[in-house]
Structures are given as structure tokens and as C-alpha cells.
Amino acid sequence: MADFALVLNKRAGEARSRLRVKVKPASAIKPLSLVKPVSAAKIPGRYLAHQEGLPCLPVPPLQQTLERYLQALQPIVSDEEWTHTRDLVADFGKPGSVGDRLQKGLERRAKKTENWLSEWWLQTAYLEYRMPVVVHSNPGVVLPKQDFHDRQGQLRFAAKLIEGVLDFKTMVDNETLPVEYLGGKPLCMNQYYQILSSCRIPGAKHDSVVNYARTKKPPTHITVVHNFQFFELDVYNSDGSPLTSDQIFMQLEKIWNTSLQTNKEPIGILTSNHRNSWAKAYNTLIKDKTNKESVKRIQKSIFTVCLDAPIPRVSDDLYMSRVGAQMLHGGGSRWNSGNRWFDKTLQFIIAEDGSCGLNYEHAPAEGPPIVALLDHIVEYTKKPEFVRSPMVPLPMPTKLRFNITPEIKNDIEKAKQNLNIMVQDTDVRIFIFPHFGKNFPKAEKLSPDAFIQVALQLAYYRMYGILCATYESASLRMFRLGRTDTIRSTTMDAFNFVQSMEDPGRPNLEKAELLRKAVQAHRAYTDMAIRGQAIDRHLLGLKLQAIEDLVSMPEIFMDTSLAVALHFNLSTSQVPAKTDCVMCFGPVVPDGYGVCYNPMEDHINFSVSAFNSCAETNAARMAHYLEVALLDIQRLLQATPKSKL
Ligand code: COA
Ligand code: HC5
């Protein structure tokens, strides 16, 4: 496990003091986008003490960003474009020029806010983004296949999983969550307070996120979906203790038995549509009082559990990829896509055939907190059952009813069509690279993450003969309310290395040296990014500052070089987990790839996605080239003496 590993909180065993929260009346609940995301000031106790100790996100020096921007463009734009951009950059960065003014504006913003970027990022990366959340924003996670093949096993596992989430929730409520570390530094824990009891809500121009975890009357129920029908299931007893898995199991059985019919309208499919269409349909839907109340119960629930029908049978080779697709989009309107509420932050998916995983709405949090929760649950589900005391009969879970008018039916039909097109268009390949994991690069004294990224550059170069703008997520959680910045993997060092690999005349020793240089350059970029000194969020901030100040848009933001730099044909992310799971997400451009990986000690779990409608991309081919590139680099290092570094 990387430095990202959960570091055991020595105080975790201490008496758990119930968190007392300064409460707000329910009417004062505002969407996250309008209030600061659970501001540290509202959560007293350990959390606050921890958060207050974290530094604020810095605004990098302007000249540093401009120089690094020009460097980053070198391997991806033509000489002509580069020279043009160099002149624009020089103009922008002159003392007293517009760049200077915007920089000062950003610095003022940084003084006034807890984090100058986080609210802007939430808005621009998520809430103002109009594409469907399905495939385009919500990631999927495939958990290890469970050993059950029937409804009984499915419900037993679901019950245990729910109990595991509630166990994790106790740590959130009591503030006994182990603090995470990266590079030896403690990380912001705010995202853990955003993922339970929250939901995205569509809006005409931008969405919002609501979080009910810290309201006067926090929710005590979850929502369960089966055969497209939603149920509200209370998971706490009247004395505030959580239901046991035996109790939950019996409640799930009741739900199952009252939702045997499969001819129901898949109302949840509405959430998969383009955000503007969904916002319109949402207004129509909640005009009806019953519908409005049902939607509210889903939004307010702690999380959602989707009891899926078995996934379509495929060959063993394709099984993982098929499950990946299920976790990403549900397989289309005929399969399980109607068994979702894609705006819900956390949806645990458990199918009758033992496949299981998660779909999550990305606005409130990055992958690592979600994966920490999954690691906890997976361990929890392995615990043996205790013998329980006799149970008091529990009331029937409430079915959430929807009145489907012809207009709503029409909206559902349109959403189905769009979703099915998207499902057809999305190609997901999941593969386990079995030959080595973090162990090999570590033995070679190389950063495993950088090693994988350089291999990806080689794979891409071999497929296309050029390099492309590449995005890797870097965590900014060393800073209070930090989200992410971009590691630009396409460095000149990576370019020199991949070119050498394609030149049979170059000696191995030279190639190996170039490889080490490329890996070290990537690791150096990573260090700079996680310390808040990368370029992408800074440039975004300067641009948004120009919009806020109503300055006419400076030319560097309208330049083709920037468009190339932001067209991420490779959108990648490492999400390490203790559990042997695979995460997946879609490409961010029509002709791109989404690549996610979880490096384990002796193997690497990969997912590669692409759109079938793009003739130039092919997920299976990319997966193949990636595997070959990793092996070729291993061979190269094995054929040359170890570095003395
Ligand atoms: N020699 C030997 N070992 C090395 C090494 C070297 N030169 N460089 C690194 N290592 C070791 C590390 O100590 C670590 O060891 P561990 O497995 O015992 O913990 C391991 O190799 C992994 O390090 P590395 O591969 O360099 O990556 P990282 O763990 O530092 O992660 C990022 C890099 C970019 C993924 C990380 O900084 C980050 O930002 N993660 C968050 C990403 C994110 O949020 N993703 C989801 C977005 S939704
Ligand atoms: C469960 C793991 C999901 C990983 C999701 C992820 O990496 O999201 C990135 C978030 C960010 O801010 O970098 C975005 N990306 C999918 C486009 C890489």
C-alpha cells in the first residue's frame, strides 16, 4: 500500500464520544454549492483540530506556472503553435499586465477563503458540467466476486455490507476515522463527511449537492432498489442502535417479496439523461406531491443499495469487463440501469450471481475516501456472524411510490433511448496485469506510479506515432478542502524515451537511462502537483478570475495550444486499494481513453474505456499495447545493469 495507506489512528480504540453538532433547522439546509462544503467550523472536536492544522492551498507564482506551461506544451503542439503561445505568454506575464492583475485577484481570493479553488472546482468540474453523469462523470468500482449464486446469498451479503457501511458511519459520526497520509503529510478528511446522506440535484444551468448528514434530524434510512422499485429501509432501532445484519436480511426479504414484478417503469433512468433534460424532467416529476416526497426520501437516504438481476452471461475472459460496465452504467434499460439513482452519491450494487461493486456520484469526493470505505466494508463482510438475541418484529419497509403521467412516461422513454445509445457506445476492458505489481519498479528503485504512466506513454506512442495531452489525478488533500490537480504525464523526458524505444539502432543502456529519466521526471511532476505547484488549476483560476473581474478574456485562454493541452486523449488515475478491486470511468473526450489502475504488490488491476463511435480508439487494443509496453520496459531493465542511484 502506498503512503496513501490508512495510517492507524492510535486513538481509534479510545472511548468514542458522540459527536455533537451545531444544528441548523431543516429549512436552512442549502445545497453544497451554495454553502461551503461542511465547513470545518461546523464540526467541532477532533475533526476541527485536525482540519485547522492543515495548510491552505497556495497560489503558485505566476512566472513559474507560465514557464511550466510552455514546457508542458513542447511534446504536444507544433513548433509554430509553441512559438505563437510563447509570445502570448510573454505578453500575459509582463509586469503590470493583465496576468499580474489576475494573479493579485487570486491571491486576494486565497486570503478570503478556506480554499481558493474548491468551490470553483466543484462548480466547473461537476455541477456546471451538462453531460450525463453516467459514463461521463460517475466512476464504477468492481469488488471481488462473492461466493453466492442465489437470492438468499445475495440478500445475506447485502445485509452484511449494509451493516459494514453503518459501522464505518459510526467512525465518521464519532470522528474516529483514521487520518490518511500522503508523502508523510496528513490529509484533509473533509470528503469523508460528504459522502453519506448526500445527493446531487439537477438544475437548469447547474446542479447542486445536498448533504443531510449534519442536519437537525439526520436520516436513519437507506434506499433499496429491486426490479426498478425503490424502498425506504430504516436501518436504526428507536434507541439509535443500528440494525444487525440478521434484521436487515429479514427486511431485505420483505422488500424482495413485494417487488417481484418486473414490468415497472424504470423511473431511475431519468437520472442518466443529459443534465438539462433531466432538470426539466425533474421539475415535471416533482410537480406531483407523492413523487416529490419519494424523490426526497431517496436524496435524504444515507446511501442506496441496488439489488440487481444477474448480469448477462459472457465468456470468462470478458466477465470482469462486463461487470465493470454494469458498475458504470447498469447495462442499459433492459438490464439494470433502471435499478439506479445515478445522482445518489453512493450506490452499492449487488447482483444475484455474486458480482458486486459500486457506482458513485463524483461531485462530493474523490476515489480514495470511497475506496477506504470499500476496504472497510469488504473486511467487515468477511467477519463471522455472531449469535444474536431474539428479534423484535420490524415494520415493513416503505415502498416509494411514483405516479407516472404520460409526460413522465415520455421523459423516461427518451432517457431510455439516450442511455441505450450511450451503453452501446461505451467499451470497457478490465484486465489484470499478472506479471508484476509495485514490487518490480520498487526493486528497480523507481516509482511504480511513474513507471506505469511512462508505460502508458509508450503504449500510446506505439499506437499513434505521437503523444497526446495526458491527465493523471494528483491529490491536493495536503491542503484544507483540497481536491485534485493534474499531473501532465507527457513530458519531454517521456517523449525522448518512447522515441528511443522505437529506434532499433539505439543501445539498451541508453534506452534504460532515458527510461529512468522519464520516470524520475514524472515523479518530480507528481511531487510538485501534490504540493500545490502544478499548472492546470492555477491556469483555470486565472481564467475564472478574468471572468469574475469582467476583464476581456486574455488571448492565452483562447489559444489553440491550450485547447490541445486540455484535450486529454488519455485521462488516467491511480486509485490504490487494499481490496483487490478495479475502478473504471469513461473517456473525457470523444476520441480518448479513460484508464484507471490499482497497483497491488505483485499484479496491477487496470480498466481501459473508449467510445465505439470513435474509429481511432479501441479499448482492447490499448489494453494490449499497455501490457506489451509494461513487459518491454521490464525486459529492458532486466537486460541492463541496475542503476547505482
Ligand atoms: N524506489 C522504491 N520505492 C519507491 C520509489 C522509488 N524510487 N518511489 C516510490 N516508491 C514506493 C513508495 O514509497 C510507495 O510505497 P508503498 O507501496 O510501500 O506505500 C509506492 O512505491 C508507491 O509510490 P508511487 O508509485 O510513487 O505513488 P504514490 O503512492 O506516491 O502515488 C499519486 C502517486 C499521484 C497516485 C498520489 O500522489 C496521488 O495523488 N494519489 C491520489 C490520486 C487520486 O486522488 N485519484 C483518484 C481521483 S478521483
Ligand atoms: C473509484 C475511483 C474513481 C476515480 C475517479 C477519478 O480519477 O476521477 C478524476 C478526478 C479528478 O479530479 O482528477 C477525474 N478523471 C476520471 C477524469 C480522471
Side-chain angles (χ1 to χ4, degrees):
M1 189 74 192
D3 337 24
F4 223 118
L6 288 181
V7 174
L8 269 188
N9 184 342
K10 294 195 186 70
R11 295 189 293 176
E14 289 176 15
R16 292 172 176 186
S17 59
R18 265 258 161 218
L19 172 68
R20 261 187 293 277
V21 184
K22 253 191 211 166
V23 287
K24 276 176 153 193
S27 60
I29 307 162
K30 289 195 193 124
L32 262 189
S33 53
L34 302 179
V35 286
K36 278 201 204 94
V38 181
S39 146
K42 294 193 185 65
I43 309 173
R46 286 184 202 182
Y47 169 80
L48 179 63
H50 170 72
Q51 291 296 110
E52 279 185 341
L54 297 170
C56 287
L57 180 69
V59 178
L62 181 62
Q63 287 310 320
Q64 173 185 297
T65 293
L66 296 179
E67 274 164 34
R68 287 178 176 172
Y69 173 50
L70 288 175
Q71 271 171 25
L73 289 178
Q74 266 180 337
I76 52 173
V77 302
S78 67
D79 290 348
E80 214 183 342
E81 276 175 312
W82 191 86
T83 315
H84 177 68
T85 307
R86 185 198 53 197
D87 295 345
L88 294 184
V89 162
D91 237 28
F92 180 78
K94 270 201 297 237
S97 72
V98 63
D100 234 12
R101 268 193 288 149
L102 297 176
Q103 174 76 1
K104 291 207 173 80
L106 268 192
E107 287 164 357
R108 274 195 300 277
R109 182 179 166 93
K111 283 208 183 93
K112 285 192 302 213
T113 49
E114 258 188 295
N115 182 315
W116 64 264
L117 174 65
S118 53
E119 182 57 27
W120 267 347
W121 183 246
L122 178 67
Q123 292 295 334
T124 50
Y126 298 106
L127 304 181
E128 288 170 6
Y129 187 60
R130 301 285 79 197
M131 293 293 274
V133 290
V134 183
V135 177
H136 298 285
S137 183
N138 285 20
V141 182
V142 179
L143 288 174
K145 190 170 188 327
Q146 298 300 312
D147 192 19
F148 60 77
H149 305 278
D150 58 9
R151 174 179 72 115
Q152 185 82 1
Q154 180 188 17
L155 299 189
R156 280 255 167 248
F157 180 75
K160 192 83 190 180
L161 180 143
I162 294 168
E163 197 184 45
V165 187
L166 297 179
D167 188 62
F168 190 86
K169 182 175 179 292
T170 310
M171 286 199 288
V172 176
D173 292 345
N174 293 350
E175 299 185 42
T176 49
L177 267 178
V179 168
E180 286 175 317
Y181 286 78
L182 177 64
K185 299 258 169 53
L187 298 184
C188 174
M189 298 296 285
N190 179 267
Q191 292 179 22
Y192 283 94
Y193 295 86
Q194 309 297 342
I195 56 182
L196 293 166
S197 315
S198 63
C199 194
R200 183 163 168 159
I201 298 177
K205 293 217 170 72
H206 62 87
D207 296 356
S208 50
V209 176
V210 279
N211 185 306
Y212 292 95
R214 282 158 202 288
T215 51
K216 195 170 186 175
K217 222 170 151 258
T220 55
H221 69 281
I222 64 168
T223 34
V224 178
V225 213
H226 178 235
N227 279 337
F228 309 160
Q229 297 155 68
F230 287 80
F231 292 82
E232 172 177 351
L233 169 58
D234 222 308
V235 284
Y236 288 91
N237 292 303
S238 49
D239 65 357
S241 61
L243 298 195
T244 63
S245 78
D246 281 344
Q247 287 176 307
I248 300 169
F249 171 74
M250 288 177 66
Q251 295 297 77
L252 292 178
E253 273 205 314
K254 291 182 199 164
I255 289 177
W256 181 284
N257 289 331
T258 43
S259 51
L260 294 172
Q261 280 175 319
T262 54
N263 59 349
K264 298 290 170 193
E265 281 300 332
I267 187 89
I269 270 199
L270 290 173
T271 62
S272 72
N273 218 345
H274 187 278
R275 302 309 294 177
N276 290 350
S277 316
W278 170 213
K280 260 182 90 190
Y282 181 81
N283 285 334
T284 313
L285 181 72
I286 62 169
K287 266 191 216 144
D288 177 285
K289 258 178 105 182
T290 308
N291 295 349
K292 189 175 181 177
E293 193 44 39
S294 294
V295 168
K296 191 74 181 247
R297 299 315 292 163
I298 297 172
Q299 290 166 343
K300 251 191 128 169
S301 62
I302 306 169
F303 55 89
T304 296
V305 170
C306 312
L307 298 173
D308 272 16
I311 67 158
R313 281 193 174 278
V314 283
S315 65
D316 285 355
D317 267 9
L318 287 179
Y319 174 77
M320 287 280 274
S321 303
R322 195 71 189 77
V323 182
Q326 282 293 312
M327 299 310 152
L328 206 53
H329 53 57
S333 63
R334 294 227 182 110
W335 295 96
N336 291 301
S337 304
N339 231 31
R340 306 277 185 275
W341 193 268
F342 286 105
D343 287 353
K344 192 70 196 155
T345 310
L346 289 177
Q347 297 197 89
F348 298 93
I349 300 161
I350 302 150
E352 213 177 312
D353 59 4
S355 54
C356 61
L358 172 105
N359 180 280
Y360 93 90
E361 199 290 299
H362 211 322
E366 262 66 66
I370 311 284
V371 166
L373 164 64
L374 288 176
D375 282 340
H376 182 87
I377 301 167
V378 169
E379 276 313 301
Y380 194 92
T381 56
K382 290 180 191 156
K383 282 189 192 169
E385 289 287 333
F386 296 110
V387 182
R388 313 264 182 208
S389 48
M391 287 184 291
V392 229
L394 292 165
M396 174 66 203
T398 318
K399 176 147 187 190
L400 300 176
R401 301 199 178 273
F402 287 96
N403 295 320
I404 312 282
T405 61
E407 201 181 352
I408 297 170
K409 171 127 179 77
N410 193 32
D411 287 334
I412 294 176
E413 286 310 314
K414 280 191 278 182
K416 271 190 196 171
Q417 280 173 15
N418 291 340
L419 176 79
N420 290 338
I421 293 169
M422 198 156 63
V423 165
Q424 286 304 312
D425 197 22
T426 306
D427 188 9
V428 189
R429 293 293 151 141
I430 286 183
F431 70 101
I432 314 299
F433 177 77
H435 307 284
F436 57 84
K438 286 189 284 185
N439 52 359
F440 177 71
K442 278 191 197 172
E444 290 289 331
K445 302 203 181 80
L446 294 171
S447 148
D449 182 70
F451 185 99
I452 295 167
Q453 285 288 332
V454 172
L456 251 168
Q457 293 297 305
L458 179 58
Y460 193 92
Y461 187 72
R462 282 174 167 171
M463 277 177 85
Y464 296 100
I466 52 164
L467 290 181
C468 65
T470 306
Y471 178 114
E472 185 194 359
S473 309
S475 177
L476 285 178
R477 285 175 56 212
M478 270 184 198
F479 305 100
R480 208 182 305 167
L481 302 184
R483 298 292 305 252
T484 60
D485 207 326
T486 310
I487 303 167
R488 289 187 167 270
S489 313
T490 316
T491 58
M492 276 313 283
D493 290 304
F495 190 44
N496 293 336
F497 164 65
V498 299
Q499 278 186 317
S500 79
M501 284 298 272
E502 291 309 90
D503 182 349
R506 307 276 278 274
N508 274 348
L509 208 61
E510 188 189 337
K511 292 180 189 173
E513 271 315 304
L514 290 173
L515 167 77
R516 287 184 183 279
K517 256 186 106 176
V519 170
Q520 279 151 11
H522 187 89
R523 186 60 236 184
Y525 202 126
T526 301
D527 285 330
M528 161 182 118
I530 61 177
R531 281 169 181 76
Q533 300 296 325
I535 60 175
D536 279 73
R537 302 300 181 265
H538 188 198
L539 289 174
L540 173 73
L542 291 164
K543 185 177 164 190
L544 294 174
Q545 190 66 40
I547 294 169
E548 267 202 14
D549 292 356
L550 296 174
V551 172
S552 67
M553 193 47 75
E555 275 194 75
I556 63 160
F557 297 121
M558 299 191 297
D559 180 26
T560 53
S561 291
L562 186 61
V564 173
L566 294 177
H567 191 88
F568 291 111
N569 294 90
L570 278 174
S571 167
T572 78
S573 184
Q574 180 196 148
V575 190
K578 284 187 198 150
T579 310
D580 202 356
C581 58
V582 196
M583 304 81 174
C584 40
F585 49 76
V588 295
V589 293
D591 56 343
Y593 295 97
V595 181
C596 195
Y597 50 96
N598 173 15
M600 307 298 284
E601 215 38 48
D602 61 1
H603 65 277
I604 311 170
N605 300 338
F606 279 104
S607 75
V608 178
S609 63
F611 292 119
N612 289 318
S613 54
C614 175
E616 285 80 40
T617 55
N618 182 319
R621 252 186 108 209
M622 173 52 85
H624 170 74
Y625 271 80
L626 182 54
E627 191 159 358
V628 173
L630 285 163
L631 283 171
D632 282 356
I633 295 178
Q634 181 186 41
R635 263 185 236 117
L636 174 69
L637 288 171
Q638 284 170 338
T640 47
K642 266 211 175 101
S643 163
K644 290 181 195 67
L645 285 178

